[in-house]
Amino acid sequence: MNKTLIKNGTLVNEGQQYQADILIDGQYIQKIDRDISYANANIIDAKGLHVLPGMIDDQVHFREPGFTHKADIRTESMAAVAGGITSFMDMPNTYPNTLTQDLLEQKYQIAEHSSLANYSFFMGISQSNLEEALKTDLENVCGLTDDGLYFDNDQGIMANHPEFLEKLFKRSPHIITLHSESDAIIAKNTEQFIDKYGLDIPPSAHAEIRSEAACLATTNQILELAKKHQNRLHIYHISTAKEAFLLDAGSDVKSKRITGEACIHHLWFSADDYERLGFKIKWNPSVKSELNRQELLRAVKDNYIDIFATDHAPHTLAEKQGNYFESMSGGPLVQHALVALLEFYHQGVFSLETIVNKSAHKVADLYRLRNRGYLKEGYYADLCLVNLNKPWKVIDANSFYKCGWTPFVNTSFKSRIETTFVNGIIVYNNGHFNTSTKGNRLMFEKDRFN
C-alpha cells in the first residue's frame, strides 16, 4: 500500500484555511479535494487537526562532523521532525570547516544515511577559498555563507571585510547569506565590561556587548554593497528593529534582491530573561531589549522580515556554563520553534496564515526550492498535523536534542505537533519515530539570481 489519505483536516495554505482531504501517492501529493475516496489507501482521520506544510529551517548547526558530542545529523533531524520541521539547511562551521567541494559532499553523504528530514548544506566562504566556493552547484546546494566562520582565526566575519565582499558580490550568482555584527564595536564594548567586572561579566551584559550599534554598523555597510551590485543577499538572524526596517517591505521574496529573517529566540526572549535563564540564552547576535523584540514582531507582520528560522546551535550544558568568556553562544531550538510560533497565534500576534507563509512558503520561494513548501498537487508531501488545543509542558524528558537541555524547559505550549510526514512517509507520530526512511537532498531552480 503506497497511498495515504488524510481526511477531514483543516489545511492552512497560501493565505487560506479550508477543510479538505489530501491523497498522497508515494512521495507526492496526488490530489487535494473536499471529499476524496480511495479504497486501498491508508486512511488518517485528521478531524480537529490543522494540516500545515512542514517548516523549512534555513539556518541550523547540526555539528557533524567534528562536534558530535553536542549534536549530530541523526539526533537533530529527529528533534526537527518532532517539531514539524521537514527540511533544513546546515551551516559550514563544522570541523573541519566546509570550505571545499569535497568536504561539502561528505556532509551530504552523512545526511543521506542518517537524516530523517530533507537536507541541504551551505558552502562556506572565506578569503582563502573564493575560487573553490564559486564552483558550487546552484541546483543542489542552498548557497554560500560565512556564518560561524572566521577569517584567519581572529579577523572576524565577512561583514567586517567590505573589500572582500565587493569582490564576492561582483562575481557570485549564488544566494549569499551573512551574519552581520561589527567586531570592532564588540571588542570595544567587551573591554569596557572587563574594566568594570573583570571576568565576572553578567549574562545581561551580552545585549550591551553585542549591541544594537554593533549590528547596525555592518548591516548598513553590506546593504550598500549588495545594492550596488544587485546581488542576492540574505541577512541572518536580524535582532534589532533598526536593521529590520532598513529592509524593503513586500511579500514577493522572489523579486527581492535583499531579504532578512528573524529567529525564534529573538522573537520569544528579551534582555529581561537573562536574569532567569543566564547564559542559556546567550546567542550571537544577542537577545536584546523588549522594545526590539516587540518591533521585530511588527517587522514580521509588516513584511520587512521575510522568513522565520531557528539558528539551532546546540552546546552541552557544561559548555553553556562558566564565566562570560567560557560560556559558548547558541542553543537548541528546532523541536520547539513551530510550537513557539503557534503560541504567538494563540496570543493574537500572528495569524496561522502568516506563520505558514514565513516558515514554509517564503523560505521555499526565497531559495527557489523545487516542489516544496506548499500543500499543492505534484509537490512533495512534507507536512505536519497539528492539534492547536492540546496543551503540554516542555521538560527535558520530552525533548529530543542530543545536548539534553532546552531554554524552553518548563514552558507550556497550547499546540502540539502530532504527526510529521517527510516525502509522503510518516517519520514522527506522537512521540515515536520511523527511522527506517531518510529525507532527500533538496534541489533548487538553476537560475536563482534573477
Side-chain angles (χ1 to χ4, degrees):
M1 185 183 297
N2 200 30
K3 298 203 179 193
T4 300
L5 179 56
I6 302 172
K7 293 194 67 68
N8 307 315
T10 299
L11 279 60
V12 185
N13 191 58
E14 296 187 272
Q16 299 181 66
Q17 294 186 48
Y18 53 96
Q19 188 169 325
D21 298 345
I22 299 179
L23 180 63
I24 298 171
D25 183 4
Q27 297 188 78
Y28 301 97
I29 296 173
Q30 178 181 335
K31 188 176 183 180
I32 299 175
D33 209 338
R34 293 289 179 183
D35 188 11
I36 301 172
S37 296
Y38 195 91
N40 296 318
N42 174 36
I43 296 176
I44 296 175
D45 187 0
K47 185 176 181 179
L49 303 179
H50 283 69
V51 185
L52 278 56
M55 183 171 176
I56 304 169
D57 191 350
D58 83 327
Q59 191 191 171
V60 304
H61 304 257
F62 280 0
R63 305 302 192 196
E64 189 173 8
F67 302 107
T68 53
H69 67 286
K70 306 173 193 274
D72 58 56
I73 290 170
R74 177 182 176 275
T75 60
E76 307 315 283
S77 68
M78 289 175 69
V81 298
I85 292 174
T86 54
S87 300
F88 66 84
M89 304 176 199
D90 182 80
M91 297 295 105
N93 65 328
T94 47
Y95 183 79
N97 291 159
T98 314
L99 294 172
T100 70
Q101 297 298 326
D102 285 345
L103 289 170
L104 179 63
E105 285 306 314
Q106 286 175 27
K107 292 177 74 172
Y108 280 105
Q109 290 168 19
I110 294 169
E112 182 182 354
H113 296 98
S114 61
S115 180
L116 270 65
N118 303 311
Y119 50 86
S120 191
F121 296 91
F122 278 93
M123 178 66 179
I125 179 74
S126 76
Q127 289 189 90
S128 63
N129 82 328
L130 178 60
E131 298 305 322
E132 181 78 354
L134 291 176
K135 296 175 185 176
T136 302
D137 191 322
L138 288 166
E139 291 185 88
N140 63 16
V141 177
C142 44
L144 308 182
T145 190
D146 72 328
D147 193 65
L149 301 176
Y150 291 87
F151 291 167
D152 302 324
N153 297 321
D154 298 317
Q155 291 188 27
I157 56 176
M158 193 185 297
N160 296 279
H161 293 268
E163 70 290 342
F164 179 75
L165 276 181
E166 183 100 37
K167 188 187 305 183
L168 175 63
F169 284 172
K170 279 181 181 178
R171 297 186 57 191
S172 177
H174 302 79
I175 292 178
I176 298 168
T177 59
L178 297 179
H179 178 137
S180 181
E181 287 184 288
S182 167
D183 291 329
I185 292 175
I186 291 168
K188 181 180 178 181
N189 292 342
T190 302
E191 287 302 314
Q192 292 175 349
F193 276 89
I194 290 174
D195 290 343
K196 185 174 182 180
Y197 292 103
L199 296 180
D200 295 323
I201 296 174
S204 59
H206 196 55
E208 298 176 71
I209 291 173
R210 289 185 173 265
S211 61
E212 292 181 48
C215 296
L216 193 62
T218 49
T219 298
N220 268 314
Q221 188 172 60
I222 63 176
L223 286 176
E224 183 179 333
L225 282 170
K227 288 174 181 177
K228 175 182 176 182
H229 295 285
Q230 284 296 293
N231 215 280
R232 291 292 312 281
L233 170 67
H234 181 62
I235 304 177
Y236 279 146
H237 40 48
I238 290 173
S239 62
T240 75
K242 289 180 180 178
E243 287 177 284
F245 292 115
L246 286 174
L247 303 177
D248 292 333
S251 60
D252 183 8
V253 297
K254 281 191 172 182
S255 68
K256 285 186 175 183
R257 310 302 293 177
I258 299 169
T259 51
E261 72 186 27
C263 287
I264 306 305
H265 49 288
H266 292 128
L267 298 173
W268 187 272
F269 300 108
S270 76
D272 297 341
D273 294 307
Y274 284 112
E275 183 176 357
R276 177 173 59 92
L277 293 168
F279 292 130
K280 285 184 177 180
I281 59 167
K282 184 186 180 192
W283 272 278
N284 300 339
S286 64
V287 169
K288 294 181 173 65
S289 68
E290 175 64 14
L291 178 60
N292 274 298
R293 189 184 78 84
Q294 292 289 343
E295 288 295 282
L296 284 175
L297 294 172
R298 182 166 72 89
V300 168
K301 290 188 284 188
D302 291 346
N303 287 320
Y304 290 91
I305 295 290
D306 299 290
I307 64 172
F308 298 124
T310 67
D311 193 15
H312 172 88
H315 299 286
T316 66
L317 201 53
E319 290 169 333
K320 292 294 288 182
Q321 296 173 351
N323 66 39
Y324 180 81
F325 299 98
E326 293 168 336
S327 173
M328 294 185 172
S329 294
L333 274 166
V334 287
Q335 186 182 341
H336 302 105
L338 184 53
V339 289
L341 291 171
L342 292 171
E343 202 67 18
F344 287 125
Y345 158 73
H346 287 291
Q347 296 168 5
V349 177
F350 298 144
S351 67
L352 291 178
E353 294 87 344
T354 293
I355 292 168
V356 165
N357 198 28
K358 293 179 186 289
S359 67
H361 299 341
K362 295 306 177 186
V363 190
D365 291 347
L366 194 160
Y367 287 94
R368 303 193 187 182
L369 275 164
R370 289 185 183 169
N371 300 329
R372 297 193 191 272
Y374 291 81
L375 302 178
K376 282 185 178 180
E377 294 176 1
Y379 273 54
Y380 288 95
D382 298 334
L383 54 91
C384 58
L385 308 183
V386 178
N387 191 328
L388 293 176
N389 298 291
K390 195 171 184 179
W392 63 291
K393 186 176 183 179
V394 178
I395 57 175
D396 289 336
N398 61 23
S399 299
F400 299 110
Y401 308 118
K402 189 173 185 178
C403 65
W405 68 277
T406 167
F408 286 105
V409 71
N410 295 322
T411 301
S412 293
F413 291 114
K414 292 184 174 65
S415 302
R416 185 188 295 260
I417 311 300
E418 297 215 339
T419 306
T420 302
F421 288 76
V422 174
N423 304 315
I425 303 295
I426 294 176
V427 295
Y428 173 81
N429 187 49
N430 289 307
H432 301 282
F433 296 93
N434 173 12
T435 59
S436 66
T437 185
K438 302 297 182 288
N440 292 343
R441 182 172 182 158
L442 296 173
M443 301 300 290
F444 306 86
E445 296 175 16
K446 186 170 184 177
D447 183 5
R448 291 192 280 154
F449 193 77
N450 297 306

